[in-house]
Amino acid sequence: MTTKRLVDVAWDAFEPLPVEQKTPYLLQPDGTPFHTLFAQQFDLPLLDRLTILSNEIRAIAKTRAGMCFLHELVCHKRAMLYFSQPSSRTFLSFLSACQILGVQTGEVRDTSTSSEFKGESREDSVRTFSSYFDMIVMRTPEKGLAERMAWVLSNSERPIPIINAGSGKDQHPTQALLDIYTLVRSFEHLGGLRDRTVVFVGDLARGRTVRSLSNLLTNYPSIRQIFVAPRQLQIGEDVLDNLRRRGIEHRCGDDLRAAIPEADAVYMTRVQDEWDQEKGESARVDTSRFTFGIEELKLLPPHAIIMHPLPRRDEIAPAVDRDPRAMYWRQMRNGMWIRTALIAMTFGCDKRIHEYYRQNL
Ligand code: CP
């Protein structure tokens, strides 16, 4: 793909472009991501590269010598973890990824403790972070803010990369990467991630992880998608339009027990009531038939897996955790490895990792 430079395009011209046309502006000259903003940036060759790199990193990290090698790789870099929305997994896995690679970190997790509280704009805040750090990992409730900040920084004297750690209801690209990594690993001894059915369950209307994963799955051959949700929380038309355009087999419904026997992966999600427009809006929706317990386990094929981006509430019974098909704890740890790989690739040290792996493992 021919790369373009964000410095050559005005924000008013860039912002309305379809995501596919934005991608060339987000790449380094060798085609690796500079800014990571959208799931759609990742095509199959790039996903394969990240998967291989993650596997190599986790193998290298098994020994003290390997950890010491990884720890030296980018110890000259610093990353700002700018999370203006609550997070446990994404924050901690990015922090761990930085620690694995020796990247020093700073953080703002509550804008009431930064100068945003005094009225500083997001643009000025991010430019301030770029004065001290070499990368910004940001989570924000505002759709499109990560992309705006990427444009701002690319047009500043310190053009450092931005990684979107979740923005609005729209995008969670690195969650989708770890979900894909989990699926690839789960099916690698069963013919790979192809000819599979993924059943998405729960609050699909407001789940950015589902939107991003649905998109990335279209890179893999013959992946059927089934969306199971109450009518009020069903997946958006824009996601379905994307599947129609690409000729991806899919269907929507509200009968979880009917869908489970068809599943290779069941992707559960919680009700995202933090996005309610009015108080009690979500509580009025009956979600009782969109939970996974022992009865649902009995319907699940033996090779299938249960995923969840977490945090969960009551949509997966704790008793399910003991079943070997419950993948969500391993899925969460996979996030640390894929994010380590993404940071390594962004900072251009993937070739050194391949070399070490070839020579030592
Ligand atoms: N899956 C996920 O994004 O979790 P956190 O909100 O805890 O980061």
Side-chain angles (χ1 to χ4, degrees):
M1 183 184 292
T2 313
T3 60
K4 298 180 178 177
R5 299 177 335 147
L6 273 176
V7 73
D8 294 330
V9 60
W11 172 250
D12 288 346
F14 177 73
E15 202 265 333
L17 291 175
V19 170
E20 296 71 33
Q21 290 181 35
K22 288 178 178 168
T23 296
Y25 290 98
L26 310 176
L27 303 175
Q28 305 186 43
D30 68 354
T32 55
F34 182 69
H35 299 297
T36 294
L37 304 180
F38 313 112
Q40 293 93 322
Q41 276 176 253
F42 294 86
D43 58 13
L44 192 53
L46 191 50
L47 290 167
D48 286 346
R49 275 178 63 194
L50 269 172
T51 300
I52 291 165
L53 190 61
S54 302
N55 285 341
E56 290 179 358
I57 289 169
R58 68 195 299 161
I60 292 170
K62 284 189 195 308
T63 65
R64 189 175 192 281
M67 275 304 270
C68 289
F69 160 76
L70 291 169
H71 199 70
E72 286 292 304
L73 274 176
V74 259
C75 59
H76 58 301
K77 298 288 188 186
R78 293 183 298 276
M80 177 65 187
L81 306 179
Y82 175 38
F83 279 60
S84 60
Q85 203 187 19
S87 167
S88 296
R89 278 145 287 273
T90 313
F91 178 83
L92 290 172
S93 60
F94 268 114
L95 179 65
S96 303
C98 287
Q99 288 169 343
I100 289 168
L101 293 170
V103 177
Q104 304 291 308
T105 56
E107 64 184 64
V108 166
R109 299 203 66 185
D110 178 354
T111 52
S112 71
T113 64
S114 80
S115 281
E116 274 184 52
F117 187 71
K118 294 181 263 181
E120 186 167 53
S121 69
R122 287 285 173 87
E123 279 88 346
D124 285 1
S125 292
V126 166
R127 285 191 69 163
T128 302
F129 303 149
S130 76
S131 301
Y132 308 124
F133 295 94
D134 304 295
M135 166 182 280
I136 298 174
V137 179
M138 71 181 280
R139 167 170 286 196
T140 162
E142 289 167 55
K143 179 176 185 243
L145 190 72
E147 126 185 45
R148 166 80 187 159
M149 293 305 127
W151 183 88
V152 166
L153 288 186
S154 285
N155 283 277
S156 76
E157 68 286 356
R158 285 271 301 158
I160 64 168
I162 292 230
I163 297 182
N164 180 358
S167 59
K169 287 177 272 186
D170 193 41
Q171 285 275 350
H172 198 345
T174 65
Q175 175 73 42
L177 292 177
L178 79 89
D179 293 339
I180 286 289
Y181 184 47
T182 301
L183 286 162
V184 167
R185 285 179 67 81
S186 298
F187 296 114
E188 65 185 342
H189 301 303
L190 296 170
L193 185 49
R194 54 169 58 240
D195 305 320
R196 300 281 168 197
T197 297
V198 178
V199 178
F200 293 100
V201 186
D203 186 346
L204 310 182
R206 303 176 292 187
R208 58 193 177 195
T209 67
V210 170
R211 298 172 60 81
S212 290
L213 179 57
S214 168
N215 223 301
L216 275 196
L217 282 172
T218 63
N219 287 288
Y220 294 85
S222 305
I223 305 292
R224 200 164 150 245
Q225 301 188 23
I226 301 179
F227 301 96
V228 179
R231 181 183 48 79
Q232 302 92 323
L233 302 178
Q234 191 47 275
I235 194 78
E237 267 305 310
D238 60 330
V239 174
L240 298 177
D241 274 347
N242 180 46
L243 299 179
R244 283 182 205 114
R245 258 198 326 275
R246 292 165 181 265
I248 308 290
E249 195 183 336
H250 65 279
R251 76 161 195 264
C252 296
D254 64 0
D255 189 343
L256 175 58
R257 289 193 177 176
I260 290 173
E262 297 177 61
D264 296 291
V266 177
Y267 192 97
M268 299 296 297
T269 64
R270 75 177 164 88
V271 173
Q272 318 249 324
D273 48 14
E274 65 269 38
W275 300 109
D276 278 2
Q277 302 288 318
E278 56 185 71
K279 200 167 159 41
E281 183 185 332
S282 295
R284 288 194 287 276
V285 180
D286 179 9
T287 53
S288 56
R289 290 185 301 112
F290 304 90
T291 58
F292 202 105
I294 296 300
E295 288 310 309
E296 284 72 25
L297 258 185
K298 290 177 189 162
L299 301 171
L300 190 70
H303 71 278
I305 59 169
I306 309 156
M307 300 173 70
H308 193 310
L310 302 177
R312 72 171 155 186
R313 288 181 184 164
D314 56 3
E315 60 278 354
I316 300 182
V320 174
D321 294 5
R322 289 191 293 274
D323 192 281
R325 292 166 290 181
M327 192 56 61
Y328 27 94
W329 301 108
R330 279 172 279 173
Q331 177 186 355
M332 176 164 63
R333 189 164 165 84
N334 285 340
M336 180 176 77
W337 300 119
I338 201 91
R339 287 170 173 135
T340 307
L342 180 65
I343 294 170
M345 197 182 263
T346 304
F347 282 139
C349 53
D350 40 331
K351 288 183 191 62
R352 285 188 59 200
I353 295 171
H354 294 319
E355 210 172 274
Y356 183 95
Y357 182 82
R358 266 197 307 273
Q359 288 171 2
N360 296 280
L361 288 131

